[in-house]
Amino acid sequence: MDPNLLAQLHGDDWLELSALAKKNTLTPEQTSRFLELYRTASKDLSRITTVAPDSLEAARLSAIVHRSRNHLSSVPSGGLSGLGRFFVISLPLSLYRLRWDFVIVAAGFLAVAVLSGIWAGTHPEVLETFGDREFRRQFAEHDFVDYYKENPNGFFAVGVWTNNAWIAVQFVLLGITGGYVIVGLFSNAVNVGFSGAMMFEFDRASDFFLYILPHGIPEISCIILAAAAGLRLFFAWVVPGPRLRRDKLASEARSLLIVAGGLVLLLFGSGLIEGFVTPNPIPPAVKIAIGVAYTAAVVVYAWYFGKRAAAAGLSADLDEHQAGYSVISTDR
């Protein structure tokens, strides 16, 4: 196609794209328009460089597309810009993409926890494997509750945060193995079920729910998210679809590492709840409400920002030139 004719037909769109690329922030409507113009301009540039790579139109449009690509990938002008992209686009979008993975893994976790608790509670010989009756009584009437009170609140909060954060990071990073995540998640679910069975055995069901729900709701949700991210990484390797296995795996890994970093931050909140709210002598309903409110806030955050980013066609992954799949040159 004649470059001059193409410039006459789409020149106004190129100017609009250039103007949008210079803005620091875009509204959802502007983002949608920006993406539309960027795709069209990229096609136009491909056509022009095919027939007249050294033309003025090619140089002009190349500069616009290059600037737009940098804007699209949010190349930061400073630390705050990078943080803004992480919290407004990358993290919520990565969490939003895991919503159905989370539902499936959560259903499996709860099923194993409940069934193992019922099995242990209705089969005394199973509970005997944990110790004799006196040992189980000590656990139900003292040890379970004392665990949350025997250390200073701040020290305890930091301890559970680092432990849970390490578990979450392992689930994501070692998710490629598949088996590690499944075994770890199954083991945690069984432990919850068996602990509940011992508490029920000595009529301490109220203590079980009172001390596990306030922090357990956000904490277990984060662990399940980590497991969902790890399993997604595993399936990207096993079932890459139409893409090359290495490309699919690399793309998913870059996005899911964002989840690992985000979960470390989110688990800090659940650690504070476990350290300062769970052992606190405030009304049980208030304790549980705090855990539910924190979890709900995370869900709303991920849903609102993640859905908006997905609707705009954005990605938590790097674009092609940042990921190393292509080299951009403005030399003509």
Side-chain angles (χ1 to χ4, degrees):
M1 175 175 285
D2 182 7
N4 293 324
L5 177 59
L6 199 60
Q8 291 178 8
L9 292 174
H10 295 167
D12 291 341
D13 289 343
W14 298 351
L15 290 175
E16 183 181 357
L17 175 63
S18 180
L20 290 174
K22 294 177 182 177
K23 292 181 176 290
N24 291 326
T25 58
L26 299 176
T27 66
E29 293 76 15
Q30 288 175 325
T31 300
S32 179
R33 177 61 176 165
F34 176 82
L35 291 171
E36 179 185 348
L37 293 171
Y38 173 73
R39 295 190 186 101
T40 302
S42 297
K43 292 178 182 178
D44 290 343
L45 179 59
S46 177
R47 293 170 182 168
I48 292 177
T49 54
T50 299
V51 297
D54 298 322
S55 64
L56 291 177
E57 288 76 11
R60 171 193 171 200
L61 185 55
S62 177
I64 294 174
V65 170
H66 177 60
R67 186 187 310 120
S68 301
R69 184 182 290 111
N70 284 340
H71 188 76
L72 182 63
S73 59
S74 295
V75 174
S77 57
L80 292 178
S81 177
L83 285 176
R85 175 177 171 79
F86 178 82
F87 286 108
V88 177
I89 297 176
S90 301
L91 178 57
L93 180 56
S94 296
L95 295 175
Y96 181 76
R97 290 176 63 238
L98 288 171
R99 62 194 184 281
W100 298 120
D101 306 75
F102 172 82
V103 170
I104 294 171
V105 175
F109 180 90
L110 291 175
V112 171
V114 171
L115 291 176
S116 62
I118 294 174
W119 178 55
T122 55
H123 293 76
E125 66 275 13
V126 175
L127 290 178
E128 289 290 338
T129 62
F130 288 89
D132 57 25
R133 184 174 178 81
E134 189 56 34
F135 174 86
R136 301 197 304 275
R137 183 186 296 277
Q138 175 68 23
F139 172 83
E141 297 181 353
H142 301 284
D143 295 347
F144 184 84
V145 173
D146 290 346
Y147 167 75
Y148 298 97
K149 299 179 178 180
E150 60 188 4
N151 292 304
N153 299 98
F155 179 82
F156 181 60
V158 172
V160 297
W161 169 51
T162 54
N163 178 68
N164 291 328
W166 176 235
I167 292 174
V169 170
Q170 287 184 87
F171 273 10
V172 176
L173 295 181
L174 298 179
I176 192 171
T177 65
Y180 182 86
V181 173
I182 294 173
V183 171
L185 203 63
F186 183 85
S187 176
N188 276 277
V190 170
N191 285 337
V192 171
F194 283 5
S195 296
M198 286 189 282
M199 297 295 288
F200 272 77
E201 182 184 15
F202 295 97
D203 298 321
R204 296 285 180 166
S206 59
D207 284 345
F208 175 73
F209 290 113
L210 173 60
Y211 281 87
I212 204 171
L213 286 181
H215 69 275
I217 294 174
E219 178 184 294
I220 294 176
S221 296
C222 286
I223 297 300
I224 290 175
L225 268 172
L231 290 175
R232 191 182 185 98
L233 190 60
F234 170 72
F235 283 108
W237 170 54
V238 175
V239 189
R243 298 180 61 182
L244 289 175
R245 181 172 280 103
R246 66 172 184 238
D247 292 347
K248 177 69 172 179
L249 183 59
S251 175
E252 289 291 351
R254 286 190 296 266
S255 297
L256 296 177
L257 283 176
I258 293 172
V259 175
L263 291 178
V264 170
L265 299 176
L266 297 177
L267 282 167
F268 180 71
S270 70
L272 291 178
I273 294 174
E274 187 168 357
F276 292 92
V277 176
T278 297
N280 199 297
I282 58 179
V286 175
K287 293 184 181 183
I288 297 173
I290 291 173
V292 171
Y294 179 69
T295 306
V298 173
V299 171
V300 171
Y301 158 75
W303 189 271
Y304 175 76
F305 288 103
K307 187 176 183 180
R308 188 174 70 169
L314 301 179
S315 172
D317 189 16
L318 303 175
D319 68 11
E320 289 189 350
H321 78 277
Q322 288 182 313
Y325 296 139
S326 64
V327 177
I328 296 176
S329 174
T330 57
D331 297 332
R332 294 294 178 187

